[in-house]
Amino acid sequence: MNANLEELRTKLDTVNKELLRLLNERAEVVQAIGEIKEKQGVPKFDPVRERKMLDELTALNPGPFRDASIKHIFKEIFKASLNLQEEDHKRQLLVSRKKQPENTIIDVKGNLIGGSAQVMIAGPCSVESYEQLRTVAAALKEAGIKVMRGGAFKPRTSPYDFQGLGVEGLKMLKEVADEFGLATISEIVHPGHIELAEQYIDVIQIGARNMQNFELLKAAGEAKIPVLLKRGIAATLEEFVHAAEYIVVKGNTQVMLIERGIRTYEKWTRNTLDISAVPLLKQETHLPVLVDVTHSTGRKDILLPCAKAALAAGADGIMVEVHPDPQTALSDAAQQLDIPQFQQLWEGMRNSGLFTE
Ligand code: PRE
Ligand code: MN
């Protein structure tokens, strides 16, 4: 009896090995099909093909496995095959860490982003006046912060809201940044403004609402300066990564990602800060990953713990909005820090031991 069991098990071992070989032989064919699909740009998942194979296999099924079991087993094989094709696709993305294991480090006027040190980016939501910019720039300089943000083209929810100073705003940003020795980041919303941006600013921001504005992404891919790409308000990480790929594939490899909160049912914050995005994006891509604590929370009272969480999760930098007199700000008045609040946040971040300068 025992000898018989042993014998049967030995037989199964041989069958298992044969199945293993066949499964991997099948997987190689699946990968070859995946490559063709990738080139043709057709979807990997093909339910019609899967149904046809299941019908054929159940029609041929001699048993003793029931048709339902055969279907179940093959569906699992199809699922694993699809995963394989999708993994191969991800591996091929230029932004993928599988394609480039080492971090992309971006040089913004001598400030390295994505390396061993973190970056703090601060400044007003919108550029409003020279006086406003100079007050912020002086505070940043005093704090040792090197990169200033400021919006000139403002994509606002309402057309009646302040739309930004446009090119004038970019010029003001440059003038003040040069005066204080700062680098600048500002949002560009039109593909035709990319060249203009190169003249006045150091980093082009592509805003959350434009994350899938593909013509803008392509134009940013032709730019000679780095791009800070914000996650869309309802974008999955898969969509976010592919948006970055649009820029990189055009030749601009200097792309940084920034998590800025996603829309959920939660009302106590403006958006929900998706902390898991930080380690996931670091794992899946080689690009620097930053966190915008201001727009994700839309509040001023929880910025320090959120910034610390972002740094602990591996973020390469933090972005925050600062205004000399937030109450009179022409945009995002409720969430911008005044200068003393900003100094307090900055001190808290530096004392946390999580921020490496
Ligand atoms: C395969 C994989 C995924 C598709 O959903 C359908 C079939 C399979 O494993 O058989 C292969 C394949 O990509 C294809 O035949 O088009
Ligand atoms: Mn803002």
Side-chain angles (χ1 to χ4, degrees):
M1 178 64 189
N2 262 352
N4 195 17
L5 178 63
E6 278 310 306
E7 210 176 287
L8 291 171
R9 283 185 169 166
T10 310
K11 203 167 168 184
L12 267 196
D13 286 341
T14 313
V15 174
N16 282 346
K17 280 175 200 149
E18 190 59 12
L19 275 176
L20 182 67
R21 194 189 60 75
L22 284 170
L23 281 172
N24 283 306
E25 188 178 314
R26 188 183 194 284
E28 280 174 21
V29 179
V30 163
Q31 282 183 307
I33 293 178
E35 266 174 49
I36 296 173
K37 286 184 170 178
E38 184 77 28
K39 278 200 194 95
Q40 295 179 345
V42 298
K44 306 287 184 314
F45 179 51
D46 186 344
V48 177
R49 166 78 179 144
E50 290 193 10
R51 151 101 13 234
K52 203 167 157 257
M53 287 188 287
L54 291 178
D55 287 347
E56 260 173 36
L57 290 162
T58 46
L60 287 171
N61 181 25
F65 267 138
R66 285 183 292 117
D67 287 357
S69 301
I70 290 293
K71 269 193 190 161
H72 184 76
I73 292 167
F74 273 91
K75 273 189 188 165
E76 282 302 315
I77 294 176
F78 299 160
K79 205 161 92 190
S81 302
L82 197 58
N83 277 343
L84 193 61
Q85 290 178 343
E86 275 162 5
E87 271 172 30
D88 284 350
H89 163 74
K90 275 202 209 147
R91 216 188 305 277
Q92 282 165 17
L93 290 182
L94 296 170
V95 298
S96 164
R97 196 171 281 281
K98 291 189 186 101
K99 186 97 177 172
Q100 180 192 308
E102 65 278 6
N103 289 334
T104 284
I105 298 177
I106 298 175
D107 186 339
V108 178
K109 267 198 168 170
N111 304 289
L112 301 184
I113 306 181
S116 53
Q118 279 99 35
V119 67
M120 175 68 161
I121 302 169
C125 180
S126 299
V127 172
E128 296 171 10
S129 68
Y130 278 111
E131 196 197 345
Q132 172 228 24
L133 274 187
R134 284 201 179 99
T135 310
V136 174
L140 297 188
K141 190 166 183 192
E142 196 194 314
I145 287 162
K146 310 275 173 39
V147 192
M148 178 163 71
R149 57 148 290 142
F153 296 96
K154 300 300 297 178
R156 304 301 301 283
T157 303
S158 164
Y160 304 112
D161 287 341
F162 176 59
Q163 302 287 306
L165 299 180
V167 187
E168 268 321 297
L170 294 187
K171 288 183 187 165
M172 287 162 76
L173 201 55
K174 177 164 173 52
E175 202 177 313
V176 175
D178 286 349
E179 216 174 292
F180 289 83
L182 300 169
T184 55
I185 295 190
S186 197
E187 177 163 356
I188 294 298
V189 296
H190 197 284
H193 285 162
I194 296 290
E195 281 179 32
L196 192 78
E198 289 169 345
Q199 287 176 47
Y200 297 112
I201 56 178
D202 302 301
V203 178
I204 293 168
Q205 178 180 304
I206 293 187
R209 283 156 193 83
N210 274 322
M211 189 206 82
Q212 284 189 316
N213 180 339
F214 299 116
E215 293 312 311
L216 184 61
L217 296 176
K218 288 179 198 168
E222 312 264 355
K224 310 278 181 299
I225 58 174
V227 176
L228 177 70
L229 178 65
K230 290 196 134 192
R231 181 179 183 181
I233 57 170
T236 63
L237 294 177
E238 179 92 7
E239 289 162 344
F240 192 16
V241 166
H242 279 84
E245 184 78 5
Y246 260 91
I247 304 171
V248 175
V249 77
K250 283 281 175 187
N252 189 353
T253 55
Q254 306 178 84
V255 177
M256 298 174 250
L257 305 174
I258 183 159
E259 158 65 27
R260 46 78 68 205
I262 48 174
R263 188 165 279 184
T264 70
Y265 50 80
E266 181 51 59
K267 288 205 168 83
W268 285 8
T269 49
R270 179 171 168 180
N271 293 286
T272 295
L273 170 56
D274 179 9
I275 275 292
S276 60
V278 176
L280 282 171
L281 292 169
K282 291 294 295 178
Q283 194 172 293
E284 291 299 314
T285 81
H286 48 77
L287 305 175
V289 177
L290 284 73
V291 170
D292 175 346
V293 285
T294 296
H295 292 94
S296 51
T297 62
R299 318 176 46 128
K300 304 186 201 186
D301 55 343
I302 55 167
L303 297 191
L304 181 58
C306 289
K308 284 196 214 167
L311 294 169
D316 296 295
I318 301 292
M319 185 151 94
V320 66
E321 283 186 348
V322 192
H323 190 288
D325 183 13
Q327 279 179 337
T328 64
L330 298 178
S331 56
D332 283 350
Q335 67 183 32
Q336 302 197 61
L337 296 180
D338 63 23
I339 287 166
Q341 288 166 336
F342 166 71
Q343 285 163 340
Q344 212 181 337
L345 168 73
W346 181 224
E347 199 187 315
M349 279 171 61
R350 293 174 93 177
N351 290 342
S352 72
L354 293 161
F355 194 91
T356 320
E357 282 175 75

